């Protein structure tokens, strides 16, 4: 049933424009996506931007335990904006409802606690659910771009927009907090791609 819902409805919904969600920068868990496509698009974007700018900064953003912290309420709000039948949406609501967990230690078992976050890894619905959840993460500044592969998120900033870097990071941090995710700043790294010819005339 999960695979049927994903293949017949959710995958198709990712190709239909939505008011507040975009999936054109996401290359994971889609019929036309793969790690190869993501890498090709990332390097193509950098190369394209280097035609007009002497260097391009790429910031690899790391989210702590991203799949484990996706809030169900927020995710379901985004799923509701997709063009899927009501019966499919209601099935998804039921799918994420009614889960609980407890802890057993030295023969003692804690009381049950409802699970209101996390997507079920290893399930068919889980991966595409994260894609939907990340669909409203977009750049603030025109000309800046994202390249996403599941929770691996790369912010691409040309030299002409380099002053927007702090605002973009703040925007990602705010988005993460709103969606119950945690941007790990210490593990997030930056790499700068340089056009050697242009930089021989400019100070980079």
């Amino acid at each position: 049933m999960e695979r049927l819902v994903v293949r017949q409805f959710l995958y198709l919904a990712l190709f239909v424009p939505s008011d507040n969600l975009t999936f054109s920068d996401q290359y994971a868990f889609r019929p036309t996506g793969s790690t190869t496509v993501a890498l090709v698009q990332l390097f193509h974007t950098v190369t394209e931007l280097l035609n007009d700018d002497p260097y391009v900064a790429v910031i690899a953003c790391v989210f702590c335990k991203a799949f484990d912290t996706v809030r169900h309420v927020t995710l379901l709000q985004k799923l509701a904006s997709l063009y899927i039948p009501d019966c499919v949406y209601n099935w998804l609501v039921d799918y994420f409802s009614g889960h609980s967990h407890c802890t057993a230690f030295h023969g003692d078992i804690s009381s049950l606690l409802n699970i209101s976050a996390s997507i079920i890894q290893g399930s068919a619905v889980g991966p595409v659910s994260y894609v939907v959840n990340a669909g409203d993460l977009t750049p603030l500044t025109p000309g800046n771009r994202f390249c996403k592969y599941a929770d691996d998120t790369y912010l691409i900033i040309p030299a002409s927009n380099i002053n927007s870097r702090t605002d973009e990071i703040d925007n990602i941090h705010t988005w993460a907090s709103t969606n119950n995710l945690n941007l790990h700043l210490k593990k997030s790294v930056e790499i700068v791609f340089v056009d050697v010819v242009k930089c021989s005339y400019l100070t980079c």
Side-chain angles (χ1 to χ4, degrees), residues 79-150:
L79 286 168
S81 69
L82 297 179
Y83 290 93
I84 55 177
D86 290 345
C87 61
V88 173
Y89 175 75
N90 291 335
W91 183 90
L92 289 166
V93 171
D94 184 69
Y95 178 85
F96 286 105
S97 302
H99 298 282
S100 59
H101 71 92
C102 63
T103 301
F105 183 73
H106 283 292
D108 294 325
I109 301 177
S110 69
S111 57
L112 292 174
L113 184 67
N114 290 331
I115 297 174
S116 60
S118 83
I119 53 181
I120 303 170
Q121 296 194 52
S123 66
V125 172
V128 72
S129 296
Y130 185 86
V131 169
V132 173
N133 190 65
D136 60 347
L137 176 58
T138 56
L140 285 176
T141 307
N144 294 345
R145 307 185 195 180
F146 275 116
C147 183
K148 305 171 190 169
Y149 188 84

Side-chain angles (χ1 to χ4, degrees), residues 181-192:
L181 301 173
N182 181 27
L183 177 62
H184 199 309
L185 292 175
K186 290 185 178 180
K187 287 188 176 181
S188 298
V189 296
E190 179 183 43
I191 181 172
V192 178

Side-chain angles (χ1 to χ4, degrees), residues 1-197:
M1 178 60 76
E2 286 185 61
R3 291 186 177 90
L4 177 65
V5 168
V6 170
R7 292 173 182 171
Q8 297 297 321
F9 299 103
L10 294 182
Y11 276 166
L12 295 178
L14 299 183
F15 290 98
V16 180
S18 175
D19 293 336
N20 56 346
L21 300 175
T22 179
F23 306 108
S24 60
D25 57 1
Q26 175 65 257
Y27 299 95
F29 312 122
R30 299 182 62 190
T32 58
S34 67
T35 52
T36 300
V37 174
L39 287 171
V40 168
Q41 182 60 35
L42 176 62
F43 288 118
H44 171 75
T45 301
V46 170
T47 303
E48 184 181 47
L49 293 174
L50 284 174
N51 289 330
D52 300 315
D53 289 270
Y55 64 92
V56 174
V58 177
I59 301 173
C61 303
V62 176
F63 299 103
C64 299
K65 298 181 178 179
F67 280 67
D68 295 332
T69 56
V70 173
R71 186 187 293 112
H72 293 166
V73 172
T74 308
L75 171 61
L76 290 171
Q77 289 174 346
K78 296 176 185 181
L79 286 168
S81 69
L82 297 179
Y83 290 93
I84 55 177
D86 290 345
C87 61
V88 173
Y89 175 75
N90 291 335
W91 183 90
L92 289 166
V93 171
D94 184 69
Y95 178 85
F96 286 105
S97 302
H99 298 282
S100 59
H101 71 92
C102 63
T103 301
F105 183 73
H106 283 292
D108 294 325
I109 301 177
S110 69
S111 57
L112 292 174
L113 184 67
N114 290 331
I115 297 174
S116 60
S118 83
I119 53 181
I120 303 170
Q121 296 194 52
S123 66
V125 172
V128 72
S129 296
Y130 185 86
V131 169
V132 173
N133 190 65
D136 60 347
L137 176 58
T138 56
L140 285 176
T141 307
N144 294 345
R145 307 185 195 180
F146 275 116
C147 183
K148 305 171 190 169
Y149 188 84
D151 59 328
D152 294 330
T153 303
Y154 299 90
L155 172 64
I156 307 170
I157 305 176
S160 55
N161 284 346
I162 202 64
N163 289 334
S164 68
R165 181 167 43 186
T166 300
D167 289 339
E168 293 287 2
I169 294 297
D170 288 343
N171 177 55
I172 296 171
H173 192 273
T174 300
W175 174 87
S177 298
T178 301
N179 287 273
N180 201 41
L181 301 173
N182 181 27
L183 177 62
H184 199 309
L185 292 175
K186 290 185 178 180
K187 287 188 176 181
S188 298
V189 296
E190 179 183 43
I191 181 172
V192 178
F193 293 86
V194 177
D195 186 320
V196 178
V197 176

